[in-house]
Amino acid sequence: MIKKFISIFCLFAFISIYTPVFALNVPANTSILISPVNTVTSKDRNVSTVPCYITEDVKIDGVVVFKAGDRAELHVEDIEKARCWGKGGRMLISNGYAYDVHGQKHKILFSRNLYGEDKTWPKACGIVSLFFLWPLALCGFVHGDQAHVSAASEMETFLASQYDF
């Protein structure tokens, strides 16, 4: 009797070890909310990526695929600093990567052009300086605002292609 019990127990243990695991299909265009780790401005000309983290869990059929707090990154395509005569800075951010709960890297789609605010009063002072007060031309050295990505901002990105989790 005990031999039958042990053999049945071992048989169930053996079968439960080799049960097939069904892959979960994560569809393309799955929404992933991310937020930058720190503020990045157009003044930082040597920045090529914006480090981010995932702000909310992404669940597919009740399974967490992307966990809140996991790593993500966005690529900075082009940066232009703020310039004289009140011209604001510009920064182009496009695409990047998000890491799932297994640590695998997946491409995400995102595109945004960020602009710093232009200042109009230096241009007006420059025009006035041509006719009346030449020292007002020194206002031309005033720069516009830098374009920036705030650490407090939340951005919606989308998964580029489907994969099996």
Side-chain angles (χ1 to χ4, degrees):
M1 176 80 170
I2 201 91
K3 289 181 182 179
K4 289 181 183 178
F5 178 74
I6 291 174
S7 62
I8 291 174
F9 177 75
C10 290
L11 180 64
F12 280 122
F14 181 74
I15 291 172
S16 66
I17 289 174
Y18 291 105
T19 56
V21 176
F22 297 105
L24 180 65
N25 185 10
V26 180
N29 293 327
T30 300
S31 175
I32 303 171
L33 296 174
I34 64 172
S35 187
V37 172
N38 50 21
T39 301
V40 176
T41 67
S42 59
K43 193 172 189 176
D44 307 325
R45 294 197 43 100
N46 57 353
V47 172
S48 62
T49 61
V50 178
C52 301
Y53 62 93
I54 299 171
T55 57
E56 291 182 9
D57 288 346
V58 176
K59 293 182 181 181
I60 306 293
D61 295 335
V63 177
V64 176
V65 179
F66 293 96
K67 187 176 180 183
D70 279 352
R71 188 168 66 119
E73 60 187 36
L74 293 173
H75 295 286
V76 178
E77 293 293 323
D78 190 26
I79 289 183
E80 187 176 303
K81 283 176 55 172
R83 302 205 183 263
C84 294
W85 295 105
K87 185 176 182 207
R90 185 179 68 83
M91 188 172 12
L92 171 63
I93 299 175
S94 66
N95 302 332
Y97 294 101
Y99 296 82
D100 64 13
V101 294
H102 297 306
Q104 294 177 338
K105 180 166 81 167
H106 301 282
K107 187 171 184 174
I108 53 176
L109 302 176
F110 180 79
S111 182
R112 185 170 294 166
N113 246 332
L114 302 168
Y115 296 97
E117 187 176 337
D118 288 344
K119 294 181 181 176
T120 56
W121 65 268
K123 294 173 189 166
C125 289
I127 292 171
V128 169
S129 73
L130 292 175
F131 300 108
F132 300 110
L133 302 169
W134 65 267
L136 286 177
L138 295 174
C139 292
F141 293 111
V142 174
H143 291 199
D145 292 333
Q146 301 291 342
H148 68 280
V149 179
S150 174
S153 64
E154 186 175 67
M155 298 171 278
E156 184 176 21
T157 62
F158 298 97
L159 195 60
S161 60
Q162 72 177 15
Y163 73 98
D164 291 330
F165 181 71

